[in-house]
Amino acid sequence: MYFNFKLFRRALTISLWERPFHVRRWFFTLFFTVLFLFFWMLVAVGRLLDSLFFRGFYKQKVEAPVFIVAPPRSGTTLTQNLMSLDDERFVHVKLYQTIFPSVSFQKAIHKLSRIDKKMGHPLGNLMSWVERKCFGGWDNLHKMRLAQPEEDDAFFLYCFVSEAIFLLFPYVDELWEAGFPDHLPEDARRKVMRFYRSCLERHLYVNGPRKTLLSKATQSSGAVDSLNVEFPDAKFITIVRHPYKSVASHVSLFWPVWVKHSPEILKTSQNSKQYARLAVEWYRHLFEFRNRISPERYYCIDYRDLVSDPKSTMEKLYAHFGWQISDAYRLLLEDATSTQREFRSSHKCSLEEFGLSEEWIQEQIGDVLDFYALER
């Protein structure tokens, strides 16, 4: 398993020694560091068992995977949920599968689930309660459940090359490569992608060896070049939402976590502005990426079309890639479209809350706004 110890050491040094001492931050840093290392070693053992008892995954091919990549709060979850309904074609990634990227552990979980079902779901009910306690506070922003489709960011987290580390270490400029893997040295990029491929091989081997891998990862906005090199037959789907909306919402996801361990971080702090700059740079990176990839492997969705008419949006996407829509999937799309039209988000935030402005975004990516005809 690849682990970027250089980034890990830098993150700990900044948090523990280069910031004013705060008991709460030290406690959170040390507690979650120990927890992370425990899971890292647990997964390493699981993957070792895979090599001993399930060597068939080495022959598993990852052919023409589909990557949904866009900055956070741009509709990636909705797109993944809609495409995941086509389970005859795709196999998606669930949250628990990203936490345990091991054939051995996933087979054990599946067996335990079957036993739990025969007993009346006592363990399942307990896990539902735990999920509501742990993830319920984010339901209005991004509903998370262990057995629901989720982005595969946790795969990258085990390399310590993931945007998720900014939840505990909100030092974006100092740890830039964690959120922008394409800026890593070439050797490190290659190792990250090799580990990622091994996770996908295991996932397909257990959950759908003859299906197409459907992946959603917002943090891959900074890793599309690396993905394109590692998977030259991959298809990329991106979504464009107005950054006036998505950037503020992006920062609003992380700030409540920051103040839990570092109450001195204000909404208008440099941490918020650095994190917003990461989101804006992702817009730039994806915009330039579309010129480096062949059109038949790339499709861009307008967020406004996605939320107003999901069914039509999926039909156009499928037509672009030459995929056939089955009758069963079409019916599911119609139901999903009816549900989406009734959905109203209760989450409200603004750029000004975080010391940002529309003018700043215009200065950074005005040409991107113009290209996609997004109102200034």
Side-chain angles (χ1 to χ4, degrees), residues 3-36:
F3 181 68
N4 194 311
F5 182 74
K6 182 180 179 181
L7 273 176
F8 177 68
R9 182 179 59 188
R10 191 188 310 170
L12 287 180
T13 300
I14 295 170
S15 184
L16 298 177
W17 309 113
E18 295 182 4
R19 293 295 184 272
F21 175 78
H22 197 292
V23 173
R24 188 183 301 183
R25 188 176 68 254
W26 267 61
F27 171 78
F28 272 83
T29 299
L30 296 177
F31 175 78
F32 283 103
T33 296
V34 171
L35 187 65
F36 167 74

mmCIF file of all heavy atoms in Angstrom, residues 3-36:
data_model
loop_
_atom_site.group_PDB
_atom_site.id
_atom_site.type_symbol
_atom_site.label_atom_id
_atom_site.label_comp_id
_atom_site.label_asym_id
_atom_site.label_seq_id
_atom_site.Cartn_x
_atom_site.Cartn_y
_atom_site.Cartn_z
ATOM 1 N N PHE A 3 1.781 5.067 0.743
ATOM 2 C CA PHE A 3 1.443 6.067 1.759
ATOM 3 C C PHE A 3 2.407 7.240 1.604
ATOM 4 O O PHE A 3 3.627 7.059 1.629
ATOM 5 C CB PHE A 3 1.579 5.461 3.158
ATOM 6 C CG PHE A 3 1.219 6.407 4.274
ATOM 7 C CD1 PHE A 3 -0.085 6.817 4.447
ATOM 8 C CD2 PHE A 3 2.190 6.866 5.144
ATOM 9 C CE1 PHE A 3 -0.423 7.680 5.487
ATOM 10 C CE2 PHE A 3 1.872 7.726 6.182
ATOM 11 C CZ PHE A 3 0.556 8.127 6.360
ATOM 12 N N ASN A 4 1.844 8.441 1.401
ATOM 13 C CA ASN A 4 2.682 9.621 1.216
ATOM 14 C C ASN A 4 3.101 10.151 2.584
ATOM 15 O O ASN A 4 2.458 11.038 3.163
ATOM 16 C CB ASN A 4 1.928 10.687 0.421
ATOM 17 C CG ASN A 4 2.853 11.780 -0.099
ATOM 18 O OD1 ASN A 4 3.664 12.319 0.656
ATOM 19 N ND2 ASN A 4 2.738 12.107 -1.372
ATOM 20 N N PHE A 5 4.178 9.594 3.100
ATOM 21 C CA PHE A 5 4.632 9.949 4.442
ATOM 22 C C PHE A 5 5.069 11.415 4.508
ATOM 23 O O PHE A 5 4.920 12.064 5.557
ATOM 24 C CB PHE A 5 5.793 9.036 4.853
ATOM 25 C CG PHE A 5 6.294 9.302 6.247
ATOM 26 C CD1 PHE A 5 5.556 8.891 7.348
ATOM 27 C CD2 PHE A 5 7.487 9.985 6.461
ATOM 28 C CE1 PHE A 5 6.013 9.149 8.629
ATOM 29 C CE2 PHE A 5 7.948 10.241 7.738
ATOM 30 C CZ PHE A 5 7.204 9.818 8.823
ATOM 31 N N LYS A 6 5.577 11.953 3.423
ATOM 32 C CA LYS A 6 6.019 13.345 3.407
ATOM 33 C C LYS A 6 4.862 14.287 3.698
ATOM 34 O O LYS A 6 4.980 15.203 4.537
ATOM 35 C CB LYS A 6 6.653 13.672 2.054
ATOM 36 C CG LYS A 6 7.186 15.089 1.946
ATOM 37 C CD LYS A 6 7.809 15.323 0.573
ATOM 38 C CE LYS A 6 8.323 16.769 0.454
ATOM 39 N NZ LYS A 6 8.921 17.010 -0.893
ATOM 40 N N LEU A 7 3.722 14.083 3.039
ATOM 41 C CA LEU A 7 2.550 14.921 3.293
ATOM 42 C C LEU A 7 2.020 14.697 4.709
ATOM 43 O O LEU A 7 1.603 15.646 5.384
ATOM 44 C CB LEU A 7 1.450 14.614 2.273
ATOM 45 C CG LEU A 7 1.478 15.362 0.946
ATOM 46 C CD1 LEU A 7 0.375 14.842 0.029
ATOM 47 C CD2 LEU A 7 1.312 16.865 1.157
ATOM 48 N N PHE A 8 2.020 13.449 5.144
ATOM 49 C CA PHE A 8 1.533 13.113 6.479
ATOM 50 C C PHE A 8 2.362 13.812 7.556
ATOM 51 O O PHE A 8 1.817 14.425 8.491
ATOM 52 C CB PHE A 8 1.586 11.601 6.660
ATOM 53 C CG PHE A 8 1.174 11.110 8.016
ATOM 54 C CD1 PHE A 8 -0.140 11.227 8.437
ATOM 55 C CD2 PHE A 8 2.095 10.512 8.860
ATOM 56 C CE1 PHE A 8 -0.523 10.767 9.691
ATOM 57 C CE2 PHE A 8 1.722 10.044 10.112
ATOM 58 C CZ PHE A 8 0.411 10.168 10.526
ATOM 59 N N ARG A 9 3.674 13.745 7.421
ATOM 60 C CA ARG A 9 4.560 14.389 8.402
ATOM 61 C C ARG A 9 4.372 15.900 8.393
ATOM 62 O O ARG A 9 4.349 16.543 9.447
ATOM 63 C CB ARG A 9 6.009 14.026 8.087
ATOM 64 C CG ARG A 9 7.033 14.602 9.068
ATOM 65 C CD ARG A 9 8.424 14.165 8.689
ATOM 66 N NE ARG A 9 8.768 14.604 7.338
ATOM 67 C CZ ARG A 9 9.866 14.223 6.694
ATOM 68 N NH1 ARG A 9 10.709 13.361 7.274
ATOM 69 N NH2 ARG A 9 10.128 14.657 5.491
ATOM 70 N N ARG A 10 4.203 16.481 7.195
ATOM 71 C CA ARG A 10 4.014 17.921 7.097
ATOM 72 C C ARG A 10 2.719 18.344 7.783
ATOM 73 O O ARG A 10 2.663 19.359 8.488
ATOM 74 C CB ARG A 10 3.994 18.349 5.631
ATOM 75 C CG ARG A 10 4.078 19.868 5.424
ATOM 76 C CD ARG A 10 3.860 20.269 3.976
ATOM 77 N NE ARG A 10 4.702 19.497 3.056
ATOM 78 C CZ ARG A 10 4.560 19.515 1.736
ATOM 79 N NH1 ARG A 10 3.559 20.222 1.188
ATOM 80 N NH2 ARG A 10 5.364 18.818 0.980
ATOM 81 N N ALA A 11 1.650 17.562 7.581
ATOM 82 C CA ALA A 11 0.361 17.884 8.190
ATOM 83 C C ALA A 11 0.453 17.866 9.715
ATOM 84 O O ALA A 11 -0.046 18.782 10.394
ATOM 85 C CB ALA A 11 -0.705 16.904 7.712
ATOM 86 N N LEU A 12 1.085 16.840 10.277
ATOM 87 C CA LEU A 12 1.230 16.759 11.726
ATOM 88 C C LEU A 12 2.099 17.890 12.265
ATOM 89 O O LEU A 12 1.794 18.481 13.314
ATOM 90 C CB LEU A 12 1.835 15.409 12.113
ATOM 91 C CG LEU A 12 0.940 14.182 11.990
ATOM 92 C CD1 LEU A 12 1.707 12.933 12.409
ATOM 93 C CD2 LEU A 12 -0.310 14.341 12.838
ATOM 94 N N THR A 13 3.165 18.198 11.563
ATOM 95 C CA THR A 13 4.061 19.272 12.013
ATOM 96 C C THR A 13 3.333 20.606 12.075
ATOM 97 O O THR A 13 3.462 21.353 13.061
ATOM 98 C CB THR A 13 5.271 19.395 11.066
ATOM 99 O OG1 THR A 13 5.994 18.154 11.063
ATOM 100 C CG2 THR A 13 6.198 20.516 11.513
ATOM 101 N N ILE A 14 2.557 20.918 11.049
ATOM 102 C CA ILE A 14 1.825 22.186 11.022
ATOM 103 C C ILE A 14 0.810 22.226 12.152
ATOM 104 O O ILE A 14 0.714 23.216 12.882
ATOM 105 C CB ILE A 14 1.113 22.372 9.668
ATOM 106 C CG1 ILE A 14 2.130 22.505 8.546
ATOM 107 C CG2 ILE A 14 0.218 23.618 9.698
ATOM 108 C CD1 ILE A 14 1.511 22.447 7.160
ATOM 109 N N SER A 15 0.037 21.159 12.311
ATOM 110 C CA SER A 15 -1.051 21.143 13.286
ATOM 111 C C SER A 15 -0.553 21.182 14.728
ATOM 112 O O SER A 15 -1.113 21.883 15.573
ATOM 113 C CB SER A 15 -1.921 19.907 13.078
ATOM 114 O OG SER A 15 -3.033 19.901 13.946
ATOM 115 N N LEU A 16 0.520 20.433 15.004
ATOM 116 C CA LEU A 16 0.976 20.295 16.384
ATOM 117 C C LEU A 16 2.017 21.325 16.794
ATOM 118 O O LEU A 16 2.078 21.703 17.984
ATOM 119 C CB LEU A 16 1.546 18.890 16.597
ATOM 120 C CG LEU A 16 0.568 17.722 16.394
ATOM 121 C CD1 LEU A 16 1.289 16.393 16.570
ATOM 122 C CD2 LEU A 16 -0.612 17.832 17.358
ATOM 123 N N TRP A 17 2.828 21.820 15.844
ATOM 124 C CA TRP A 17 3.956 22.650 16.228
ATOM 125 C C TRP A 17 3.975 24.049 15.592
ATOM 126 O O TRP A 17 4.556 24.960 16.172
ATOM 127 C CB TRP A 17 5.277 21.947 15.888
ATOM 128 C CG TRP A 17 5.353 20.555 16.417
ATOM 129 C CD1 TRP A 17 5.374 19.403 15.709
ATOM 130 C CD2 TRP A 17 5.390 20.165 17.806
ATOM 131 N NE1 TRP A 17 5.421 18.305 16.531
ATOM 132 C CE2 TRP A 17 5.432 18.747 17.839
ATOM 133 C CE3 TRP A 17 5.381 20.861 19.009
ATOM 134 C CZ2 TRP A 17 5.468 18.037 19.025
ATOM 135 C CZ3 TRP A 17 5.414 20.142 20.197
ATOM 136 C CH2 TRP A 17 5.463 18.749 20.192
ATOM 137 N N GLU A 18 3.354 24.217 14.448
ATOM 138 C CA GLU A 18 3.456 25.498 13.759
ATOM 139 C C GLU A 18 2.216 26.375 13.922
ATOM 140 O O GLU A 18 2.107 27.420 13.297
ATOM 141 C CB GLU A 18 3.735 25.274 12.264
ATOM 142 C CG GLU A 18 5.078 24.618 12.010
ATOM 143 C CD GLU A 18 5.366 24.445 10.527
ATOM 144 O OE1 GLU A 18 4.546 24.907 9.695
ATOM 145 O OE2 GLU A 18 6.411 23.845 10.195
ATOM 146 N N ARG A 19 1.278 25.948 14.744
ATOM 147 C CA ARG A 19 0.107 26.750 15.070
ATOM 148 C C ARG A 19 0.070 26.950 16.573
ATOM 149 O O ARG A 19 0.587 26.117 17.327
ATOM 150 C CB ARG A 19 -1.180 26.065 14.596
ATOM 151 C CG ARG A 19 -1.326 25.961 13.074
ATOM 152 C CD ARG A 19 -1.439 27.339 12.430
ATOM 153 N NE ARG A 19 -1.681 27.256 10.990
ATOM 154 C CZ ARG A 19 -0.732 27.187 10.058
ATOM 155 N NH1 ARG A 19 0.542 27.151 10.429
ATOM 156 N NH2 ARG A 19 -1.033 27.150 8.776
ATOM 157 N N PRO A 20 -0.541 28.043 17.047
ATOM 158 C CA PRO A 20 -0.638 28.255 18.498
ATOM 159 C C PRO A 20 -1.259 27.046 19.184
ATOM 160 O O PRO A 20 -2.219 26.455 18.675
ATOM 161 C CB PRO A 20 -1.549 29.492 18.606
ATOM 162 C CG PRO A 20 -1.347 30.221 17.319
ATOM 163 C CD PRO A 20 -1.146 29.152 16.287
ATOM 164 N N PHE A 21 -0.721 26.682 20.323
ATOM 165 C CA PHE A 21 -1.180 25.492 21.036
ATOM 166 C C PHE A 21 -2.649 25.609 21.405
ATOM 167 O O PHE A 21 -3.107 26.634 21.897
ATOM 168 C CB PHE A 21 -0.355 25.285 22.307
ATOM 169 C CG PHE A 21 -0.845 24.141 23.158
ATOM 170 C CD1 PHE A 21 -0.552 22.830 22.806
ATOM 171 C CD2 PHE A 21 -1.611 24.384 24.289
ATOM 172 C CE1 PHE A 21 -1.008 21.779 23.577
ATOM 173 C CE2 PHE A 21 -2.066 23.332 25.070
ATOM 174 C CZ PHE A 21 -1.762 22.023 24.711
ATOM 175 N N HIS A 22 -3.382 24.531 21.144
ATOM 176 C CA HIS A 22 -4.788 24.458 21.533
ATOM 177 C C HIS A 22 -5.088 23.007 21.892
ATOM 178 O O HIS A 22 -4.894 22.102 21.076
ATOM 179 C CB HIS A 22 -5.699 24.931 20.402
ATOM 180 C CG HIS A 22 -7.079 25.270 20.863
ATOM 181 N ND1 HIS A 22 -7.962 24.334 21.327
ATOM 182 C CD2 HIS A 22 -7.741 26.469 20.944
ATOM 183 C CE1 HIS A 22 -9.093 24.913 21.669
ATOM 184 N NE2 HIS A 22 -8.986 26.206 21.444
ATOM 185 N N VAL A 23 -5.549 22.783 23.139
ATOM 186 C CA VAL A 23 -5.778 21.424 23.629
ATOM 187 C C VAL A 23 -6.731 20.664 22.726
ATOM 188 O O VAL A 23 -6.504 19.484 22.394
ATOM 189 C CB VAL A 23 -6.329 21.461 25.072
ATOM 190 C CG1 VAL A 23 -6.743 20.052 25.515
ATOM 191 C CG2 VAL A 23 -5.296 22.033 26.031
ATOM 192 N N ARG A 24 -7.801 21.336 22.302
ATOM 193 C CA ARG A 24 -8.798 20.644 21.493
ATOM 194 C C ARG A 24 -8.213 20.183 20.157
ATOM 195 O O ARG A 24 -8.463 19.066 19.721
ATOM 196 C CB ARG A 24 -10.011 21.554 21.251
ATOM 197 C CG ARG A 24 -11.173 20.824 20.586
ATOM 198 C CD ARG A 24 -12.336 21.746 20.298
ATOM 199 N NE ARG A 24 -12.847 22.380 21.498
ATOM 200 C CZ ARG A 24 -13.911 23.188 21.507
ATOM 201 N NH1 ARG A 24 -14.534 23.457 20.362
ATOM 202 N NH2 ARG A 24 -14.318 23.723 22.627
ATOM 203 N N ARG A 25 -7.402 21.057 19.518
ATOM 204 C CA ARG A 25 -6.824 20.666 18.243
ATOM 205 C C ARG A 25 -5.840 19.506 18.415
ATOM 206 O O ARG A 25 -5.797 18.589 17.597
ATOM 207 C CB ARG A 25 -6.129 21.853 17.567
ATOM 208 C CG ARG A 25 -5.684 21.521 16.136
ATOM 209 C CD ARG A 25 -5.075 22.694 15.407
ATOM 210 N NE ARG A 25 -3.802 23.104 15.966
ATOM 211 C CZ ARG A 25 -3.611 24.197 16.690
ATOM 212 N NH1 ARG A 25 -4.602 25.019 16.939
ATOM 213 N NH2 ARG A 25 -2.422 24.486 17.177
ATOM 214 N N TRP A 26 -5.042 19.547 19.485
ATOM 215 C CA TRP A 26 -4.105 18.448 19.741
ATOM 216 C C TRP A 26 -4.864 17.134 19.957
ATOM 217 O O TRP A 26 -4.478 16.093 19.429
ATOM 218 C CB TRP A 26 -3.243 18.766 20.967
ATOM 219 C CG TRP A 26 -1.945 19.422 20.629
ATOM 220 C CD1 TRP A 26 -1.769 20.618 20.005
ATOM 221 C CD2 TRP A 26 -0.643 18.904 20.890
ATOM 222 N NE1 TRP A 26 -0.430 20.886 19.866
ATOM 223 C CE2 TRP A 26 0.278 19.863 20.398
ATOM 224 C CE3 TRP A 26 -0.161 17.742 21.495
ATOM 225 C CZ2 TRP A 26 1.661 19.678 20.491
ATOM 226 C CZ3 TRP A 26 1.213 17.557 21.594
ATOM 227 C CH2 TRP A 26 2.109 18.522 21.091
ATOM 228 N N PHE A 27 -5.953 17.208 20.726
ATOM 229 C CA PHE A 27 -6.725 15.993 20.998
ATOM 230 C C PHE A 27 -7.285 15.423 19.698
ATOM 231 O O PHE A 27 -7.137 14.225 19.424
ATOM 232 C CB PHE A 27 -7.871 16.295 21.969
ATOM 233 C CG PHE A 27 -8.841 15.148 22.116
ATOM 234 C CD1 PHE A 27 -8.525 14.049 22.904
ATOM 235 C CD2 PHE A 27 -10.057 15.158 21.443
ATOM 236 C CE1 PHE A 27 -9.406 12.983 23.027
ATOM 237 C CE2 PHE A 27 -10.942 14.099 21.561
ATOM 238 C CZ PHE A 27 -10.616 13.006 22.354
ATOM 239 N N PHE A 28 -7.942 16.250 18.892
ATOM 240 C CA PHE A 28 -8.521 15.786 17.642
ATOM 241 C C PHE A 28 -7.442 15.235 16.712
ATOM 242 O O PHE A 28 -7.621 14.186 16.077
ATOM 243 C CB PHE A 28 -9.279 16.925 16.944
ATOM 244 C CG PHE A 28 -10.719 17.045 17.357
ATOM 245 C CD1 PHE A 28 -11.064 17.731 18.513
ATOM 246 C CD2 PHE A 28 -11.724 16.482 16.597
ATOM 247 C CE1 PHE A 28 -12.382 17.848 18.907
ATOM 248 C CE2 PHE A 28 -13.055 16.585 16.978
ATOM 249 C CZ PHE A 28 -13.389 17.270 18.139
ATOM 250 N N THR A 29 -6.327 15.946 16.625
ATOM 251 C CA THR A 29 -5.253 15.526 15.719
ATOM 252 C C THR A 29 -4.699 14.167 16.112
ATOM 253 O O THR A 29 -4.562 13.263 15.276
ATOM 254 C CB THR A 29 -4.118 16.561 15.713
ATOM 255 O OG1 THR A 29 -4.624 17.823 15.254
ATOM 256 C CG2 THR A 29 -2.986 16.117 14.797
ATOM 257 N N LEU A 30 -4.396 14.003 17.388
ATOM 258 C CA LEU A 30 -3.804 12.744 17.843
ATOM 259 C C LEU A 30 -4.813 11.600 17.800
ATOM 260 O O LEU A 30 -4.477 10.475 17.393
ATOM 261 C CB LEU A 30 -3.243 12.911 19.247
ATOM 262 C CG LEU A 30 -2.076 13.902 19.370
ATOM 263 C CD1 LEU A 30 -1.650 14.050 20.833
ATOM 264 C CD2 LEU A 30 -0.894 13.450 18.520
ATOM 265 N N PHE A 31 -6.060 11.875 18.200
ATOM 266 C CA PHE A 31 -7.081 10.823 18.209
ATOM 267 C C PHE A 31 -7.340 10.304 16.799
ATOM 268 O O PHE A 31 -7.315 9.084 16.559
ATOM 269 C CB PHE A 31 -8.383 11.346 18.815
ATOM 270 C CG PHE A 31 -9.519 10.359 18.747
ATOM 271 C CD1 PHE A 31 -9.600 9.297 19.636
ATOM 272 C CD2 PHE A 31 -10.509 10.478 17.769
ATOM 273 C CE1 PHE A 31 -10.633 8.372 19.557
ATOM 274 C CE2 PHE A 31 -11.546 9.561 17.684
ATOM 275 C CZ PHE A 31 -11.609 8.511 18.581
ATOM 276 N N PHE A 32 -7.580 11.210 15.852
ATOM 277 C CA PHE A 32 -7.908 10.772 14.503
ATOM 278 C C PHE A 32 -6.682 10.252 13.745
ATOM 279 O O PHE A 32 -6.826 9.430 12.829
ATOM 280 C CB PHE A 32 -8.595 11.891 13.726
ATOM 281 C CG PHE A 32 -10.040 12.074 14.108
ATOM 282 C CD1 PHE A 32 -10.432 13.114 14.925
ATOM 283 C CD2 PHE A 32 -10.994 11.164 13.673
ATOM 284 C CE1 PHE A 32 -11.764 13.262 15.284
ATOM 285 C CE2 PHE A 32 -12.322 11.300 14.030
ATOM 286 C CZ PHE A 32 -12.712 12.364 14.850
ATOM 287 N N THR A 33 -5.497 10.696 14.141
ATOM 288 C CA THR A 33 -4.289 10.128 13.540
ATOM 289 C C THR A 33 -4.133 8.668 13.938
ATOM 290 O O THR A 33 -3.840 7.805 13.093
ATOM 291 C CB THR A 33 -3.049 10.926 13.972
ATOM 292 O OG1 THR A 33 -3.143 12.265 13.463
ATOM 293 C CG2 THR A 33 -1.785 10.279 13.436
ATOM 294 N N VAL A 34 -4.341 8.383 15.217
ATOM 295 C CA VAL A 34 -4.268 6.996 15.693
ATOM 296 C C VAL A 34 -5.350 6.152 15.022
ATOM 297 O O VAL A 34 -5.096 5.013 14.584
ATOM 298 C CB VAL A 34 -4.419 6.951 17.227
ATOM 299 C CG1 VAL A 34 -4.574 5.497 17.705
ATOM 300 C CG2 VAL A 34 -3.215 7.594 17.899
ATOM 301 N N LEU A 35 -6.568 6.707 14.907
ATOM 302 C CA LEU A 35 -7.664 5.985 14.276
ATOM 303 C C LEU A 35 -7.348 5.697 12.804
ATOM 304 O O LEU A 35 -7.580 4.581 12.304
ATOM 305 C CB LEU A 35 -8.956 6.798 14.390
ATOM 306 C CG LEU A 35 -10.251 6.114 13.915
ATOM 307 C CD1 LEU A 35 -10.561 4.913 14.804
ATOM 308 C CD2 LEU A 35 -11.414 7.113 13.948
ATOM 309 N N PHE A 36 -6.811 6.698 12.119
ATOM 310 C CA PHE A 36 -6.453 6.527 10.708
ATOM 311 C C PHE A 36 -5.386 5.449 10.538
ATOM 312 O O PHE A 36 -5.499 4.571 9.676
ATOM 313 C CB PHE A 36 -5.960 7.857 10.145
ATOM 314 C CG PHE A 36 -5.288 7.740 8.811
ATOM 315 C CD1 PHE A 36 -6.025 7.508 7.659
ATOM 316 C CD2 PHE A 36 -3.905 7.854 8.693
ATOM 317 C CE1 PHE A 36 -5.405 7.388 6.419
ATOM 318 C CE2 PHE A 36 -3.280 7.736 7.462
ATOM 319 C CZ PHE A 36 -4.032 7.504 6.323
#
